[in-house]
Short mmCIF file of all heavy atoms in Angstrom, two decimals:
data_model
loop_
_atom_site.label_atom_id
_atom_site.label_comp_id
_atom_site.label_asym_id
_atom_site.label_seq_id
_atom_site.Cartn_x
_atom_site.Cartn_y
_atom_site.Cartn_z
N MET A 124 -9.48 -36.31 14.67
CA MET A 124 -8.64 -35.24 15.20
C MET A 124 -7.76 -34.62 14.10
O MET A 124 -7.60 -33.40 14.07
CB MET A 124 -7.77 -35.81 16.33
CG MET A 124 -6.91 -34.82 17.02
SD MET A 124 -7.90 -33.84 18.14
CE MET A 124 -6.66 -33.12 19.11
N THR A 125 -7.27 -35.42 13.20
CA THR A 125 -6.44 -34.92 12.13
C THR A 125 -7.25 -34.06 11.17
O THR A 125 -6.76 -33.04 10.67
CB THR A 125 -5.80 -36.10 11.35
OG1 THR A 125 -5.09 -36.93 12.26
CG2 THR A 125 -4.85 -35.60 10.29
N ASP A 126 -8.48 -34.45 10.90
CA ASP A 126 -9.35 -33.64 10.04
C ASP A 126 -9.63 -32.28 10.65
O ASP A 126 -9.64 -31.27 9.95
CB ASP A 126 -10.68 -34.36 9.79
CG ASP A 126 -10.54 -35.53 8.82
OD1 ASP A 126 -9.53 -35.57 8.10
OD2 ASP A 126 -11.45 -36.38 8.80
N ASP A 127 -9.86 -32.27 11.96
CA ASP A 127 -10.09 -30.98 12.65
C ASP A 127 -8.86 -30.08 12.54
O ASP A 127 -8.98 -28.88 12.29
CB ASP A 127 -10.43 -31.22 14.12
CG ASP A 127 -11.81 -31.82 14.33
OD1 ASP A 127 -12.64 -31.72 13.40
OD2 ASP A 127 -12.04 -32.41 15.40
N MET A 128 -7.70 -30.70 12.72
CA MET A 128 -6.46 -29.93 12.65
C MET A 128 -6.23 -29.40 11.24
O MET A 128 -5.86 -28.25 11.05
CB MET A 128 -5.28 -30.81 13.09
CG MET A 128 -4.06 -29.99 13.34
SD MET A 128 -4.35 -28.91 14.73
CE MET A 128 -2.97 -29.32 15.71
N SER A 129 -6.49 -30.21 10.23
CA SER A 129 -6.34 -29.78 8.84
C SER A 129 -7.30 -28.64 8.52
O SER A 129 -6.95 -27.67 7.83
CB SER A 129 -6.59 -30.94 7.89
OG SER A 129 -5.60 -31.92 8.03
N ARG A 130 -8.53 -28.78 8.98
CA ARG A 130 -9.54 -27.74 8.76
C ARG A 130 -9.12 -26.43 9.41
O ARG A 130 -9.23 -25.36 8.80
CB ARG A 130 -10.90 -28.21 9.29
CG ARG A 130 -12.05 -27.29 8.93
CD ARG A 130 -13.39 -27.84 9.40
NE ARG A 130 -13.42 -28.24 10.79
CZ ARG A 130 -13.54 -27.40 11.83
NH1 ARG A 130 -13.67 -26.12 11.62
NH2 ARG A 130 -13.55 -27.85 13.07
N LEU A 131 -8.60 -26.51 10.63
CA LEU A 131 -8.15 -25.29 11.31
C LEU A 131 -6.95 -24.67 10.60
O LEU A 131 -6.86 -23.44 10.48
CB LEU A 131 -7.79 -25.62 12.76
CG LEU A 131 -8.97 -25.91 13.69
CD1 LEU A 131 -8.45 -26.37 15.06
CD2 LEU A 131 -9.86 -24.69 13.83
N GLU A 132 -6.02 -25.49 10.14
CA GLU A 132 -4.87 -24.97 9.41
C GLU A 132 -5.31 -24.31 8.10
O GLU A 132 -4.77 -23.27 7.71
CB GLU A 132 -3.87 -26.09 9.12
CG GLU A 132 -3.11 -26.54 10.35
CD GLU A 132 -2.22 -27.75 10.07
OE1 GLU A 132 -2.35 -28.36 8.97
OE2 GLU A 132 -1.41 -28.07 10.94
N GLU A 133 -6.29 -24.91 7.42
CA GLU A 133 -6.80 -24.33 6.19
C GLU A 133 -7.48 -22.99 6.46
O GLU A 133 -7.26 -22.01 5.74
CB GLU A 133 -7.79 -25.29 5.54
CG GLU A 133 -8.28 -24.84 4.19
CD GLU A 133 -9.22 -25.85 3.56
OE1 GLU A 133 -9.19 -27.02 3.92
OE2 GLU A 133 -10.00 -25.41 2.68
N GLN A 134 -8.30 -22.93 7.51
CA GLN A 134 -8.96 -21.67 7.87
C GLN A 134 -7.93 -20.60 8.24
O GLN A 134 -8.07 -19.43 7.86
CB GLN A 134 -9.93 -21.89 9.04
CG GLN A 134 -11.20 -22.60 8.65
CD GLN A 134 -12.12 -22.83 9.86
OE1 GLN A 134 -11.68 -22.75 11.00
NE2 GLN A 134 -13.38 -23.12 9.57
N MET A 135 -6.90 -21.02 8.96
CA MET A 135 -5.87 -20.07 9.35
C MET A 135 -5.14 -19.53 8.12
O MET A 135 -4.83 -18.34 8.03
CB MET A 135 -4.88 -20.72 10.31
CG MET A 135 -3.96 -19.73 10.98
SD MET A 135 -3.11 -20.48 12.35
CE MET A 135 -1.50 -20.65 11.64
N ALA A 136 -4.86 -20.40 7.16
CA ALA A 136 -4.19 -19.96 5.94
C ALA A 136 -5.06 -18.96 5.19
O ALA A 136 -4.56 -17.94 4.69
CB ALA A 136 -3.88 -21.16 5.05
N HIS A 137 -6.37 -19.22 5.11
CA HIS A 137 -7.29 -18.27 4.46
C HIS A 137 -7.34 -16.94 5.20
O HIS A 137 -7.34 -15.87 4.58
CB HIS A 137 -8.70 -18.87 4.35
CG HIS A 137 -8.82 -19.94 3.31
ND1 HIS A 137 -8.66 -19.70 1.97
CD2 HIS A 137 -9.09 -21.26 3.44
CE1 HIS A 137 -8.83 -20.82 1.30
NE2 HIS A 137 -9.09 -21.80 2.17
N LEU A 138 -7.37 -17.02 6.51
CA LEU A 138 -7.41 -15.79 7.31
C LEU A 138 -6.12 -14.98 7.14
O LEU A 138 -6.16 -13.75 7.04
CB LEU A 138 -7.65 -16.11 8.78
CG LEU A 138 -9.05 -16.60 9.12
CD1 LEU A 138 -9.11 -17.07 10.58
CD2 LEU A 138 -10.08 -15.52 8.88
N LEU A 139 -4.98 -15.68 7.11
CA LEU A 139 -3.71 -14.97 6.92
C LEU A 139 -3.67 -14.30 5.55
O LEU A 139 -3.19 -13.17 5.41
CB LEU A 139 -2.54 -15.93 7.08
CG LEU A 139 -2.24 -16.37 8.50
CD1 LEU A 139 -1.18 -17.48 8.51
CD2 LEU A 139 -1.80 -15.21 9.36
N ARG A 140 -4.19 -14.98 4.55
CA ARG A 140 -4.24 -14.40 3.19
C ARG A 140 -5.14 -13.17 3.19
O ARG A 140 -4.82 -12.14 2.60
CB ARG A 140 -4.75 -15.46 2.21
CG ARG A 140 -5.00 -14.96 0.82
CD ARG A 140 -3.69 -14.51 0.17
NE ARG A 140 -3.91 -13.85 -1.08
CZ ARG A 140 -3.68 -14.39 -2.26
NH1 ARG A 140 -3.21 -15.61 -2.34
NH2 ARG A 140 -3.91 -13.71 -3.35
N THR A 141 -6.28 -13.26 3.86
CA THR A 141 -7.21 -12.14 3.93
C THR A 141 -6.57 -10.95 4.65
O THR A 141 -6.70 -9.81 4.20
CB THR A 141 -8.51 -12.56 4.65
OG1 THR A 141 -9.10 -13.64 3.93
CG2 THR A 141 -9.49 -11.41 4.75
N VAL A 142 -5.87 -11.23 5.73
CA VAL A 142 -5.20 -10.16 6.47
C VAL A 142 -4.14 -9.49 5.59
O VAL A 142 -4.03 -8.26 5.56
CB VAL A 142 -4.58 -10.70 7.78
CG1 VAL A 142 -3.62 -9.69 8.39
CG2 VAL A 142 -5.67 -11.05 8.78
N ASP A 143 -3.37 -10.28 4.86
CA ASP A 143 -2.36 -9.72 3.96
C ASP A 143 -3.01 -8.86 2.87
O ASP A 143 -2.54 -7.77 2.55
CB ASP A 143 -1.52 -10.82 3.31
CG ASP A 143 -0.56 -11.46 4.29
OD1 ASP A 143 -0.26 -10.84 5.34
OD2 ASP A 143 -0.09 -12.59 4.00
N ASP A 144 -4.10 -9.36 2.29
CA ASP A 144 -4.81 -8.60 1.26
C ASP A 144 -5.35 -7.29 1.81
O ASP A 144 -5.23 -6.24 1.18
CB ASP A 144 -5.96 -9.42 0.67
CG ASP A 144 -5.48 -10.58 -0.18
OD1 ASP A 144 -4.28 -10.63 -0.52
OD2 ASP A 144 -6.31 -11.47 -0.48
N LEU A 145 -5.94 -7.35 3.00
CA LEU A 145 -6.49 -6.13 3.61
C LEU A 145 -5.37 -5.15 3.97
O LEU A 145 -5.54 -3.94 3.85
CB LEU A 145 -7.32 -6.48 4.84
CG LEU A 145 -8.65 -7.17 4.57
CD1 LEU A 145 -9.30 -7.61 5.88
CD2 LEU A 145 -9.58 -6.26 3.79
N SER A 146 -4.24 -5.67 4.39
CA SER A 146 -3.10 -4.81 4.70
C SER A 146 -2.65 -4.06 3.45
O SER A 146 -2.34 -2.87 3.51
CB SER A 146 -1.96 -5.64 5.26
OG SER A 146 -0.84 -4.83 5.54
N ASP A 147 -2.62 -4.76 2.31
CA ASP A 147 -2.26 -4.11 1.06
C ASP A 147 -3.27 -3.02 0.69
O ASP A 147 -2.88 -1.93 0.24
CB ASP A 147 -2.18 -5.13 -0.08
CG ASP A 147 -1.03 -6.10 0.09
OD1 ASP A 147 -0.10 -5.81 0.87
OD2 ASP A 147 -1.06 -7.18 -0.57
N VAL A 148 -4.53 -3.30 0.90
CA VAL A 148 -5.58 -2.32 0.59
C VAL A 148 -5.42 -1.09 1.48
O VAL A 148 -5.49 0.05 1.00
CB VAL A 148 -6.99 -2.94 0.75
CG1 VAL A 148 -8.06 -1.87 0.72
CG2 VAL A 148 -7.24 -3.99 -0.32
N VAL A 149 -5.20 -1.30 2.76
CA VAL A 149 -5.05 -0.18 3.69
C VAL A 149 -3.82 0.65 3.33
O VAL A 149 -3.87 1.89 3.35
CB VAL A 149 -4.98 -0.69 5.15
CG1 VAL A 149 -4.55 0.42 6.10
CG2 VAL A 149 -6.33 -1.24 5.57
N ALA A 150 -2.73 0.00 2.96
CA ALA A 150 -1.52 0.73 2.58
C ALA A 150 -1.77 1.56 1.33
O ALA A 150 -1.35 2.72 1.25
CB ALA A 150 -0.37 -0.25 2.34
N ARG A 151 -2.47 1.00 0.34
CA ARG A 151 -2.78 1.74 -0.88
C ARG A 151 -3.69 2.93 -0.57
O ARG A 151 -3.47 4.05 -1.05
CB ARG A 151 -3.45 0.83 -1.91
CG ARG A 151 -3.82 1.53 -3.20
CD ARG A 151 -4.49 0.59 -4.20
NE ARG A 151 -5.56 -0.20 -3.64
CZ ARG A 151 -6.81 0.23 -3.45
NH1 ARG A 151 -7.14 1.47 -3.76
NH2 ARG A 151 -7.73 -0.57 -2.94
N GLN A 152 -4.71 2.71 0.26
CA GLN A 152 -5.61 3.79 0.61
C GLN A 152 -4.89 4.88 1.39
O GLN A 152 -5.19 6.07 1.23
CB GLN A 152 -6.80 3.25 1.41
CG GLN A 152 -7.76 2.46 0.57
CD GLN A 152 -8.90 1.86 1.38
OE1 GLN A 152 -8.81 1.73 2.61
NE2 GLN A 152 -9.97 1.50 0.69
N ASP A 153 -3.93 4.50 2.22
CA ASP A 153 -3.15 5.49 2.96
C ASP A 153 -2.36 6.38 1.99
O ASP A 153 -2.34 7.60 2.15
CB ASP A 153 -2.20 4.79 3.93
CG ASP A 153 -1.38 5.77 4.74
OD1 ASP A 153 -1.98 6.63 5.44
OD2 ASP A 153 -0.14 5.71 4.66
N ARG A 154 -1.73 5.76 0.99
CA ARG A 154 -1.00 6.55 -0.01
C ARG A 154 -1.95 7.48 -0.76
O ARG A 154 -1.63 8.65 -0.98
CB ARG A 154 -0.29 5.62 -1.00
CG ARG A 154 0.95 4.96 -0.44
CD ARG A 154 1.73 4.24 -1.53
NE ARG A 154 0.95 3.26 -2.26
CZ ARG A 154 0.80 1.99 -1.91
NH1 ARG A 154 1.38 1.54 -0.81
NH2 ARG A 154 0.08 1.15 -2.64
N GLU A 155 -3.11 6.95 -1.16
CA GLU A 155 -4.07 7.78 -1.90
C GLU A 155 -4.59 8.92 -1.04
O GLU A 155 -4.73 10.04 -1.52
CB GLU A 155 -5.24 6.92 -2.38
CG GLU A 155 -4.88 5.96 -3.49
CD GLU A 155 -6.02 5.02 -3.86
OE1 GLU A 155 -7.09 5.07 -3.22
OE2 GLU A 155 -5.83 4.23 -4.80
N LEU A 156 -4.85 8.65 0.22
CA LEU A 156 -5.35 9.69 1.13
C LEU A 156 -4.31 10.77 1.33
O LEU A 156 -4.64 11.97 1.33
CB LEU A 156 -5.74 9.06 2.47
CG LEU A 156 -6.38 9.99 3.49
CD1 LEU A 156 -7.65 10.62 2.93
CD2 LEU A 156 -6.70 9.23 4.76
N ARG A 157 -3.05 10.38 1.48
CA ARG A 157 -2.00 11.40 1.61
C ARG A 157 -1.88 12.24 0.34
O ARG A 157 -1.70 13.46 0.41
CB ARG A 157 -0.66 10.74 1.94
CG ARG A 157 -0.53 10.42 3.43
CD ARG A 157 0.85 9.94 3.76
NE ARG A 157 0.85 8.49 3.54
CZ ARG A 157 1.88 7.78 3.16
NH1 ARG A 157 3.04 8.35 2.94
NH2 ARG A 157 1.80 6.48 2.97
N ASP A 158 -2.01 11.59 -0.82
CA ASP A 158 -1.95 12.32 -2.09
C ASP A 158 -3.11 13.29 -2.22
O ASP A 158 -2.92 14.45 -2.59
CB ASP A 158 -1.95 11.33 -3.25
CG ASP A 158 -1.75 12.01 -4.59
OD1 ASP A 158 -0.86 12.88 -4.70
OD2 ASP A 158 -2.49 11.66 -5.53
N VAL A 159 -4.31 12.85 -1.90
CA VAL A 159 -5.49 13.72 -1.98
C VAL A 159 -5.37 14.86 -0.97
O VAL A 159 -5.68 16.01 -1.30
CB VAL A 159 -6.78 12.90 -1.76
CG1 VAL A 159 -7.97 13.81 -1.55
CG2 VAL A 159 -7.02 11.97 -2.94
N SER A 160 -4.91 14.57 0.22
CA SER A 160 -4.74 15.62 1.23
C SER A 160 -3.74 16.66 0.76
O SER A 160 -3.94 17.87 0.95
CB SER A 160 -4.26 15.02 2.55
OG SER A 160 -5.25 14.19 3.10
N ARG A 161 -2.65 16.21 0.14
CA ARG A 161 -1.65 17.13 -0.38
C ARG A 161 -2.25 18.01 -1.48
O ARG A 161 -2.05 19.23 -1.50
CB ARG A 161 -0.45 16.35 -0.93
CG ARG A 161 0.68 17.21 -1.45
CD ARG A 161 1.82 16.37 -2.01
NE ARG A 161 1.39 15.42 -3.02
CZ ARG A 161 1.15 15.71 -4.31
NH1 ARG A 161 1.31 16.94 -4.73
NH2 ARG A 161 0.79 14.77 -5.15
N ARG A 162 -3.05 17.41 -2.36
CA ARG A 162 -3.67 18.18 -3.43
C ARG A 162 -4.68 19.19 -2.89
O ARG A 162 -4.75 20.32 -3.37
CB ARG A 162 -4.36 17.24 -4.42
CG ARG A 162 -3.38 16.45 -5.24
CD ARG A 162 -4.09 15.51 -6.16
NE ARG A 162 -3.13 14.72 -6.91
CZ ARG A 162 -3.45 14.01 -7.96
NH1 ARG A 162 -4.70 13.97 -8.40
NH2 ARG A 162 -2.54 13.31 -8.58
N VAL A 163 -5.45 18.80 -1.89
CA VAL A 163 -6.41 19.72 -1.28
C VAL A 163 -5.67 20.89 -0.64
O VAL A 163 -6.08 22.04 -0.77
CB VAL A 163 -7.30 18.99 -0.26
CG1 VAL A 163 -8.07 19.98 0.60
CG2 VAL A 163 -8.26 18.04 -0.96
N GLU A 164 -4.56 20.59 0.03
CA GLU A 164 -3.77 21.66 0.65
C GLU A 164 -3.26 22.63 -0.41
O GLU A 164 -3.29 23.84 -0.22
CB GLU A 164 -2.59 21.05 1.42
CG GLU A 164 -1.74 22.07 2.13
CD GLU A 164 -2.48 22.82 3.22
OE1 GLU A 164 -3.39 22.24 3.84
OE2 GLU A 164 -2.15 24.01 3.45
N ILE A 165 -2.80 22.12 -1.53
CA ILE A 165 -2.33 22.98 -2.62
C ILE A 165 -3.47 23.85 -3.14
O ILE A 165 -3.30 25.06 -3.35
CB ILE A 165 -1.73 22.13 -3.76
CG1 ILE A 165 -0.40 21.52 -3.33
CG2 ILE A 165 -1.54 22.97 -5.03
CD1 ILE A 165 0.12 20.46 -4.28
N LEU A 166 -4.64 23.25 -3.32
CA LEU A 166 -5.79 24.01 -3.81
C LEU A 166 -6.22 25.07 -2.80
O LEU A 166 -6.58 26.19 -3.19
CB LEU A 166 -6.95 23.08 -4.13
CG LEU A 166 -6.76 22.17 -5.34
CD1 LEU A 166 -7.89 21.16 -5.42
CD2 LEU A 166 -6.66 22.98 -6.61
N LEU A 167 -6.19 24.74 -1.52
CA LEU A 167 -6.56 25.73 -0.51
C LEU A 167 -5.59 26.90 -0.50
O LEU A 167 -6.00 28.06 -0.39
CB LEU A 167 -6.60 25.07 0.88
CG LEU A 167 -7.79 24.14 1.13
CD1 LEU A 167 -7.61 23.40 2.45
CD2 LEU A 167 -9.09 24.91 1.12
N ARG A 168 -4.29 26.59 -0.62
CA ARG A 168 -3.30 27.67 -0.67
C ARG A 168 -3.50 28.53 -1.91
O ARG A 168 -3.43 29.75 -1.85
CB ARG A 168 -1.89 27.10 -0.66
CG ARG A 168 -1.39 26.81 0.72
CD ARG A 168 0.10 26.53 0.71
NE ARG A 168 0.29 25.21 1.31
CZ ARG A 168 1.01 24.23 0.80
NH1 ARG A 168 1.65 24.39 -0.31
NH2 ARG A 168 1.10 23.08 1.41
N ARG A 169 -3.77 27.86 -3.04
CA ARG A 169 -3.99 28.59 -4.29
C ARG A 169 -5.21 29.50 -4.18
O ARG A 169 -5.19 30.65 -4.62
CB ARG A 169 -4.16 27.59 -5.43
CG ARG A 169 -4.13 28.23 -6.79
CD ARG A 169 -4.27 27.19 -7.88
NE ARG A 169 -3.13 26.27 -7.87
CZ ARG A 169 -3.10 25.13 -8.53
NH1 ARG A 169 -4.14 24.75 -9.24
NH2 ARG A 169 -2.04 24.36 -8.48
N GLU A 170 -6.29 28.99 -3.59
CA GLU A 170 -7.51 29.79 -3.43
C GLU A 170 -7.27 30.94 -2.46
O GLU A 170 -7.76 32.05 -2.67
CB GLU A 170 -8.65 28.90 -2.96
CG GLU A 170 -9.98 29.60 -2.90
CD GLU A 170 -10.46 30.12 -4.25
OE1 GLU A 170 -10.06 29.58 -5.28
OE2 GLU A 170 -11.24 31.08 -4.26
N ALA A 171 -6.54 30.69 -1.38
CA ALA A 171 -6.22 31.76 -0.44
C ALA A 171 -5.40 32.84 -1.12
O ALA A 171 -5.62 34.04 -0.90
CB ALA A 171 -5.47 31.20 0.76
N GLN A 172 -4.46 32.44 -1.97
CA GLN A 172 -3.66 33.42 -2.71
C GLN A 172 -4.54 34.21 -3.67
O GLN A 172 -4.40 35.41 -3.80
CB GLN A 172 -2.54 32.71 -3.49
CG GLN A 172 -1.63 33.65 -4.23
CD GLN A 172 -0.85 34.56 -3.29
OE1 GLN A 172 -0.42 34.12 -2.24
NE2 GLN A 172 -0.70 35.80 -3.67
N ARG A 173 -5.46 33.54 -4.32
CA ARG A 173 -6.38 34.22 -5.24
C ARG A 173 -7.23 35.23 -4.48
O ARG A 173 -7.47 36.33 -4.95
CB ARG A 173 -7.27 33.20 -5.95
CG ARG A 173 -8.10 33.82 -7.03
CD ARG A 173 -8.97 32.83 -7.72
NE ARG A 173 -8.28 31.58 -7.96
CZ ARG A 173 -8.82 30.54 -8.56
NH1 ARG A 173 -10.07 30.59 -8.98
NH2 ARG A 173 -8.15 29.44 -8.76
N ASP A 174 -7.72 34.84 -3.29
CA ASP A 174 -8.49 35.77 -2.47
C ASP A 174 -7.65 36.99 -2.08
O ASP A 174 -8.14 38.11 -2.08
CB ASP A 174 -9.00 35.08 -1.20
CG ASP A 174 -10.16 34.15 -1.47
OD1 ASP A 174 -10.74 34.23 -2.57
OD2 ASP A 174 -10.46 33.33 -0.59
N THR A 175 -6.39 36.75 -1.76
CA THR A 175 -5.50 37.85 -1.38
C THR A 175 -5.25 38.76 -2.57
O THR A 175 -5.23 39.98 -2.44
CB THR A 175 -4.16 37.29 -0.88
OG1 THR A 175 -4.40 36.42 0.22
CG2 THR A 175 -3.24 38.41 -0.43
N ASP A 176 -5.05 38.17 -3.75
CA ASP A 176 -4.77 38.96 -4.95
C ASP A 176 -5.96 39.82 -5.38
O ASP A 176 -5.79 40.90 -5.92
CB ASP A 176 -4.37 38.06 -6.12
CG ASP A 176 -3.03 37.39 -5.88
OD1 ASP A 176 -2.28 37.84 -4.98
OD2 ASP A 176 -2.72 36.41 -6.61
N THR A 177 -7.18 39.35 -5.15
CA THR A 177 -8.37 40.07 -5.60
C THR A 177 -9.15 40.67 -4.44
O THR A 177 -10.33 40.95 -4.57
CB THR A 177 -9.30 39.12 -6.39
OG1 THR A 177 -9.70 38.05 -5.53
CG2 THR A 177 -8.63 38.59 -7.62
N SER A 178 -8.46 40.90 -3.33
CA SER A 178 -9.18 41.40 -2.16
C SER A 178 -9.70 42.82 -2.34
O SER A 178 -10.64 43.24 -1.68
CB SER A 178 -8.29 41.32 -0.92
OG SER A 178 -7.17 42.18 -1.07
N GLY A 179 -9.14 43.59 -3.25
CA GLY A 179 -9.57 44.96 -3.46
C GLY A 179 -10.82 45.08 -4.30
O GLY A 179 -11.48 46.11 -4.31
N SER A 180 -11.16 44.04 -5.03
CA SER A 180 -12.32 44.13 -5.90
C SER A 180 -13.44 43.24 -5.39
O SER A 180 -13.22 42.22 -4.78
CB SER A 180 -11.94 43.71 -7.33
OG SER A 180 -11.55 42.36 -7.33
N ILE A 181 -14.64 43.69 -5.67
CA ILE A 181 -15.82 42.93 -5.27
C ILE A 181 -16.47 42.40 -6.54
O ILE A 181 -16.77 43.17 -7.45
CB ILE A 181 -16.82 43.81 -4.50
CG1 ILE A 181 -16.17 44.33 -3.23
CG2 ILE A 181 -18.09 43.04 -4.20
CD1 ILE A 181 -17.02 45.34 -2.50
N PHE A 182 -16.67 41.12 -6.61
CA PHE A 182 -17.28 40.52 -7.78
C PHE A 182 -18.77 40.32 -7.52
O PHE A 182 -19.16 39.70 -6.55
CB PHE A 182 -16.63 39.18 -8.10
CG PHE A 182 -17.31 38.47 -9.24
CD1 PHE A 182 -17.13 38.90 -10.54
CD2 PHE A 182 -18.13 37.38 -9.00
CE1 PHE A 182 -17.76 38.25 -11.59
CE2 PHE A 182 -18.75 36.73 -10.03
CZ PHE A 182 -18.57 37.16 -11.34
N LEU A 183 -19.57 40.88 -8.41
CA LEU A 183 -21.01 40.65 -8.34
C LEU A 183 -21.37 39.82 -9.57
O LEU A 183 -20.97 40.13 -10.68
CB LEU A 183 -21.76 41.98 -8.35
CG LEU A 183 -21.45 42.91 -7.18
CD1 LEU A 183 -22.19 44.22 -7.35
CD2 LEU A 183 -21.83 42.25 -5.86
N GLY A 184 -22.14 38.78 -9.37
CA GLY A 184 -22.45 37.85 -10.44
C GLY A 184 -23.17 38.47 -11.61
O GLY A 184 -23.05 38.00 -12.74
N ASP A 185 -23.91 39.55 -11.41
CA ASP A 185 -24.69 40.13 -12.52
C ASP A 185 -23.99 41.32 -13.17
O ASP A 185 -24.58 42.01 -13.99
CB ASP A 185 -26.08 40.53 -12.03
CG ASP A 185 -26.03 41.55 -10.89
OD1 ASP A 185 -24.94 41.78 -10.35
OD2 ASP A 185 -27.09 42.10 -10.57
N GLU A 186 -22.73 41.57 -12.82
CA GLU A 186 -21.99 42.66 -13.45
C GLU A 186 -21.62 42.30 -14.88
O GLU A 186 -21.34 41.15 -15.19
CB GLU A 186 -20.67 42.93 -12.70
CG GLU A 186 -20.81 43.71 -11.44
CD GLU A 186 -19.45 44.01 -10.85
OE1 GLU A 186 -18.42 43.60 -11.40
OE2 GLU A 186 -19.43 44.67 -9.81
N LYS A 187 -21.63 43.30 -15.74
CA LYS A 187 -21.16 43.10 -17.11
C LYS A 187 -19.64 43.14 -17.10
O LYS A 187 -19.05 43.91 -16.35
CB LYS A 187 -21.71 44.18 -18.03
CG LYS A 187 -23.19 44.06 -18.28
CD LYS A 187 -23.63 45.06 -19.30
CE LYS A 187 -25.11 44.91 -19.56
NZ LYS A 187 -25.59 45.87 -20.54
N PRO A 188 -19.01 42.33 -17.91
CA PRO A 188 -17.54 42.38 -18.01
C PRO A 188 -17.10 43.75 -18.49
O PRO A 188 -17.86 44.47 -19.14
CB PRO A 188 -17.21 41.30 -19.04
CG PRO A 188 -18.42 40.44 -19.12
CD PRO A 188 -19.58 41.27 -18.73
N PRO A 189 -15.86 44.15 -18.21
CA PRO A 189 -15.40 45.50 -18.55
C PRO A 189 -15.37 45.79 -20.05
O PRO A 189 -15.36 46.94 -20.45
CB PRO A 189 -13.99 45.55 -17.98
CG PRO A 189 -13.65 44.19 -17.53
CD PRO A 189 -14.89 43.39 -17.48
N HIS A 190 -15.38 44.81 -20.90
CA HIS A 190 -15.31 45.08 -22.36
C HIS A 190 -16.65 45.39 -22.96
O HIS A 190 -16.77 45.65 -24.14
CB HIS A 190 -14.65 43.88 -23.08
CG HIS A 190 -15.42 42.59 -22.95
ND1 HIS A 190 -15.27 41.78 -21.85
CD2 HIS A 190 -16.30 41.99 -23.76
CE1 HIS A 190 -16.03 40.71 -22.01
NE2 HIS A 190 -16.67 40.82 -23.13
N TYR A 191 -17.75 45.43 -22.19
CA TYR A 191 -19.05 45.78 -22.72
C TYR A 191 -19.26 47.28 -22.72
O TYR A 191 -18.89 48.03 -21.95
CB TYR A 191 -20.19 45.11 -21.93
CG TYR A 191 -20.48 43.73 -22.41
CD1 TYR A 191 -19.79 42.63 -21.94
CD2 TYR A 191 -21.48 43.51 -23.36
CE1 TYR A 191 -20.08 41.36 -22.37
CE2 TYR A 191 -21.76 42.25 -23.81
CZ TYR A 191 -21.06 41.17 -23.32
OH TYR A 191 -21.35 39.92 -23.78
#
């Protein structure tokens, strides 16, 4: 009976350690996801502003630049 109890306590300690480790991973990923989301939002706003600034001109990929 004592061996069973020791084995269960050992398994519980390992499980608690695993839960703590996973919690740290999830917290780090949450911070990274918020950072990436913030950066994407900045890029989307920047691209929307660029679209607004150049809305009067149409860019065609095969046009020669104006200095030609």
Side-chain angles (χ1 to χ4, degrees):
M124 183 77 164
T125 305
D126 286 342
D127 289 340
M128 193 65 127
S129 294
R130 188 176 51 79
L131 288 174
E132 287 175 349
E133 185 178 338
Q134 286 179 342
M135 192 167 106
H137 286 295
L138 289 172
L139 287 172
R140 174 65 188 255
T141 301
V142 167
D143 288 341
D144 290 347
L145 289 173
S146 179
D147 292 343
V148 168
V149 169
R151 179 180 49 81
Q152 288 177 341
D153 181 58
R154 285 190 304 272
E155 289 174 357
L156 185 58
R157 279 187 273 149
D158 185 45
V159 168
S160 294
R161 182 182 54 80
R162 289 178 182 194
V163 167
E164 182 64 31
I165 289 169
L166 290 172
L167 287 172
R168 276 192 236 130
R169 190 178 297 167
E170 186 61 25
Q172 182 64 39
R173 188 180 318 181
D174 285 346
T175 303
D176 292 345
T177 61
S178 64
S180 63
I181 299 173
F182 175 75
L183 299 176
D185 59 349
E186 282 184 359
K187 290 186 179 180
H190 62 276
Y191 275 86

